[in-house]
Amino acid sequence: MEQPAVNDQPRVHQRTTRTIAKPHVMEEWVGKVFTTLCVTVLVVTIAAIVYFVASHGLATFITDGVSLSGLLSGLKWDPEGDIPLYGALPFIFGSFSTSLLAAIIAAPLGVCAAVFMTQIMPGLGKRVLQPVIELLAGIPSVVFGFVGLSIVVPFLRSVFPGQGIGIAAGAIVLSFMILPTITTIATDALSNLQRGLKEGSFALGATRWQTIYRIVIPTTLPSLLTGVVLGMSRAFGEALAVQMVIGNAPHIPHSLFESASTLTSVITLDMGNTITGSTHNNALWSLALILLAMTFIFVFIVRFLERRNNR
Amino acid sequence: MRKALFIVVALMLTIGLAACGSNKDNNGGNANSGTENTGNASTGGNANAGGNANAGGETVSGQVLAAGSTALQPLVEQVSKKFMEDAKYSGVTVQVQGGGSGTGLTQVQGGQVNIGNSDIFAEEKFVDADADKAKELVDHQVAVVAMAAVVNKSVTVDNLTKQQLVDIFTGKVKNWKEVGGQDEKITIINRPSSSGTRKTFEKYALGTKSEDVAGSIQEDASGTVKKYVTDTPGAIGYLALSYLDDTVKTVKYEGVEPKEENIVTGDYPIWAYEHMYTKGEPDAATKAFLDYMVSDEVQKSDVTELGYIPVGNMKVKRDAAGAIVK
């Protein structure tokens, strides 16, 4: 972007002598106004979304009289029952367990792919493996869900007891969705590693594997973890693909292969069917608020890791 | 190059903002359309638009926005296309959106849309403190949708009584052999508790609320429900008649087959109306569309084609409480 500007310099000079530097003033002005406008739109939008979610989500506690501790620790979710019950613990449990399990599956895959692409076979890795993994990021989540429904669920059903649905199926589908995030960040981190460190290690007589797991991985660990946390936060917010394979029974399951729910799956299932302003609808917004709070925490963790990385 | 990029982005923003602005205008227009018909009609922009507003329904113009039930959406979309192609209604634009029955009812009540599509009576959705809101809405029943209990092909049972269904969907019966089938665990494929399809099934097939049994599967989309019933051994679920085919096995209810001739007489009770609600009496354009919806031209072709039953065929009627009125 900078290169053409430098080349333009002589021409600009000629023009300025004729029109007394006016284009620069205009450029400055247009740039300033445009940037300010964009940033304003962005900030206003984000603030509006947070306000909207919060105002609906908090109404559950303020106007509808549902207790926060009841929502966070209640085990039974039955908003349409004769005595409505709003216990969201099964969803919170489901969200955490699926995204954690997805990260546990995807982290080794992603980091190993990154090691392969940067340390072992940079040529082939960068040319073939990286585009293939990045391709996964462009696949719509409904396709992941359908593949999960057609391949993962029947496979789990035939191998393990149960109906194949549940946290295991959700986590497997999610792990493939977050693989590009983890791999891309890990690849960047590994390729930005100072050459001197590796060369020093080799010079001391360390083998390639000793260098990788004694030097390369420990030095880049905060960046690798950043990738994993970002992947987890994506898994946490993913709705459709998980909803299709997890079963959606509002209970804490007894095994990985029993129907369970996540915060996002219950929101997508019920949001359109409920009346805006009803307690059931507000309770769904409260779940969205929990999701939002969790995302803030994930962002905070990423920031913390980045600061450690820079030190 | 940078300038070109600026211009492109700026243009996109302008168009985006303009679209937002005009949308708001539309909503404003729609909200008022109940009281001010001519305002809406004149948006057609024809030279003779002014004269049309009250001119005995020769030509109407205006905008109709319908939103709500995803079960009714395909029908309304198909009919709206035919409606707009009809030269008689060339001045009317109909837009159809999904969002779910709850969204449709909320938005028509709030005046954001002209028509709210719903699978169930507004009285069933607006309860307790909101009960008054249902009174402002005018019901237009456009079709009847019937549902049937379906099971995986591995299941040998082909008839279930009401009590057996209740026992299955509340988790009392867990194995097919307890209802006369083979020795296999029952897997329930239910709908989410807010779903209109589930409410219809509970009300007319079970007569009681079903439980979210541990281990049961809940899906909202009929296509996904069907896939689960097809693939899962020992599965039971329920689907609208238009979704039935060879991949799943349809079960008789109390010995009655879910067929149109049994439904229109009321012998087969698991059916519900598809509603299109308006707030107060509809304006000219909306009324023209609703009239078109229940005309023979639509009811005899599109409605039956998409697996619904024309309202006119029904020999029995139901009110919001579910009582049969002759």
Side-chain angles (χ1 to χ4, degrees), chain A residues 30-31 33-42 45, chain B residues 4-22:
Chain A
V30 166
V33 168
F34 186 73
T35 314
T36 318
L37 201 79
C38 285
V39 171
T40 318
V41 167
L42 204 65
T45 314
Chain B
L5 196 74
F6 265 143
I7 291 167
V8 169
V9 174
L11 260 177
M12 274 163 61
L13 263 182
T14 322
I15 292 166
L17 289 175
C20 286
S22 69

Side-chain angles (χ1 to χ4, degrees), chain A residues 52-68 70-72 77 79 85-88 277-290:
Chain A
F52 190 75
V53 173
S55 66
H56 276 80
L58 293 176
T60 321
F61 311 117
I62 297 162
T63 52
D64 300 323
V66 177
S67 77
L68 177 64
L71 186 86
L72 290 178
W77 175 265
L85 290 168
Y86 300 95
S278 64
T279 314
H280 189 174
N281 192 267
N282 285 343
L284 295 176
W285 284 107
S286 304
L287 300 185
L289 195 61
I290 295 175

Side-chain angles (χ1 to χ4, degrees), chain A residues 105-240:
Chain A
I105 299 171
L109 292 176
V111 172
C112 286
V115 167
F116 180 82
M117 280 190 276
T118 54
Q119 314 291 323
I120 299 175
M121 285 191 91
L124 186 73
K126 285 245 154 122
R127 224 177 323 116
V128 182
L129 192 57
Q130 195 163 20
V132 170
I133 291 177
E134 276 165 7
L135 197 70
L136 289 176
I139 297 175
S141 55
V142 65
V143 174
F144 273 104
F146 198 75
V147 170
L149 195 56
S150 315
I151 297 169
V152 179
V153 172
F155 171 75
L156 291 176
R157 185 190 300 136
S158 61
V159 176
F160 297 99
Q163 301 300 352
I165 44 142
I167 289 176
I172 289 171
V173 170
L174 278 179
S175 65
F176 279 92
M177 297 186 73
I178 65 176
L179 196 57
T181 314
I182 295 179
T183 313
T184 312
I185 293 175
T187 312
D188 285 350
L190 292 183
S191 48
N192 287 340
L193 189 71
Q194 286 172 11
R195 284 180 61 87
L197 273 178
K198 249 174 82 184
E199 279 162 8
S201 168
F202 285 137
L204 288 172
T207 62
R208 181 200 262 170
W209 281 109
Q210 278 174 329
T211 309
I212 289 174
Y213 71 75
R214 291 259 168 84
I215 305 293
V216 177
I217 303 278
T219 336
T220 51
L221 197 59
S223 303
L224 300 182
L225 284 178
T226 306
V228 173
V229 173
L230 276 177
M232 260 187 83
S233 76
R234 175 160 186 220
F236 209 78
E238 172 52 40
L240 199 58

